[in-house]
Amino acid sequence: MLFDLVTIPCLADNYAYLLRDHDSGKVALIDVPEAAPILAELKTRGWELSQIWLTHHHPDHVQGLAEVLETHQANVIGGKADEHRLPPLDRKVEEGNTITLGAMEVQVLDVSGHTVGHLAFYVPAAKTAFTADSLMALGCGRLFEGTPAQMWESLQKLIALPADTTLCSGHEYTQSNANFALTVDPDNTALISRAKDIKAARAKGQPTVPSQLSTELETNPFLRPADPGIRATLGMPTASDSDVFAEIRKRKDSF
């Protein structure tokens, strides 16, 4: 199975993604923060959009949609539970549904927390998950609507994916996430090394996403509430994983 994955910087720190199935030539766009860079990338590559997958309703993930649709007649797919605050959808999906892009099957996951109704799209054949503002590089999305328990439940679905999954998240927040992560997991040698690499990459203007799930499992404190070192730092040796996660999220909110 051959595919192309293209990361497109948008706005100040957003990312959109293009996924193309080689056999069929079908192309999906995941989130639409800003039309101009997406349209430019499509024109440069000579690609026509087939589908647009929306992860959640926030403007910085959907506001470029109308302009993209002016030149690409793509089917817009988004969350059934969120249809009342998303742009008009051609298909409404929920957890357990599948989408097909050419020969590739796409699994829909409910990863509510950042918003209620936030979706992730997992493509096993491409070993890629589009997680937007749920699981992020060295972080997770701020809980604007959901509860810590809800977000921890969502993250466990993503933790269960194969470790070699590529994670396509929605923002370039990794350096600030690394700075925070070191405050709750200061002795993690993998994290210390990653933080140095991130700092060097950002100094050169290089993106830090996508990332690999295996790397997040080693270094992202939001996926590691069971870690004894993190629990010791937080003074929560016997708390539940959900409560430790909630404390990490609370500390990040005020960091």
Side-chain angles (χ1 to χ4, degrees):
M1 178 74 65
L2 296 175
F3 63 93
D4 295 300
L5 176 64
V6 181
T7 304
I8 306 174
C10 297
L11 303 173
D13 54 27
N14 278 75
Y15 289 110
Y17 298 91
L18 296 173
L19 180 67
R20 178 177 179 269
D21 171 53
H22 278 197
D23 290 343
S24 65
K26 299 289 187 182
V27 180
L29 165 66
I30 299 85
D31 284 344
V32 201
E34 181 182 17
I38 294 167
L39 292 172
E41 191 70 41
L42 289 166
K43 184 176 181 179
T44 296
R45 294 175 178 271
W47 292 354
E48 289 293 328
L49 275 182
S50 303
Q51 301 173 7
I52 299 173
W53 310 339
L54 303 178
T55 61
H56 64 295
H57 69 90
H58 283 163
D60 63 331
H61 291 260
V62 303
Q63 63 193 12
L65 179 61
E67 188 176 345
V68 168
L69 290 175
E70 288 176 5
T71 51
H72 291 269
Q73 301 304 307
N75 285 327
V76 181
I77 300 171
K80 180 178 180 180
D82 229 10
E83 64 175 299
H84 60 290
R85 51 186 185 174
L86 286 169
L89 301 174
D90 297 301
R91 183 179 174 192
K92 301 149 194 171
V93 294
E94 58 191 348
E95 181 162 30
N97 292 162
T98 58
I99 302 164
T100 55
L101 181 71
M104 294 193 292
E105 181 183 271
V106 184
Q107 299 174 8
V108 179
L109 301 174
D110 183 329
V111 289
S112 293
H114 176 67
T115 65
V116 174
H118 193 305
L119 299 180
F121 300 96
Y122 172 53
V123 190
K127 296 183 177 180
T128 300
F130 299 93
T131 58
D133 294 0
S134 56
L135 176 54
M136 308 177 85
L138 272 181
C140 75
R142 186 181 290 266
L143 305 183
F144 287 116
E145 297 174 9
T147 65
Q150 193 172 30
M151 179 62 106
W152 176 235
E153 181 180 353
S154 294
L155 292 178
Q156 289 178 84
K157 298 175 187 178
L158 299 170
I159 288 170
L161 297 177
D164 61 352
T165 300
T166 296
L167 300 172
C168 297
S169 53
H171 290 273
E172 186 55 66
Y173 291 166
T174 320
Q175 188 164 9
S176 61
N177 286 345
N179 292 339
F180 168 74
L182 289 166
T183 69
V184 295
D185 197 10
D187 300 322
N188 184 334
T189 56
L191 173 59
I192 293 166
S193 177
R194 186 181 182 191
K196 291 178 181 177
D197 291 343
I198 289 164
K199 185 176 181 179
R202 294 308 296 154
K204 297 175 184 176
Q206 297 172 348
T208 63
V209 298
S211 61
Q212 294 294 307
L213 179 56
S214 57
T215 304
E216 298 305 324
L217 291 171
E218 288 184 333
T219 57
N220 187 333
F222 293 98
L223 300 187
R224 304 174 64 247
D227 182 81
I230 292 176
R231 286 169 166 261
T233 298
L234 299 178
M236 302 177 71
T238 61
S240 68
D241 288 350
S242 182
D243 285 346
V244 175
F245 169 81
E247 178 63 21
I248 296 170
R249 184 63 257 177
K250 178 182 176 182
R251 292 188 182 209
K252 179 62 167 67
D253 289 344
S254 60
F255 180 70

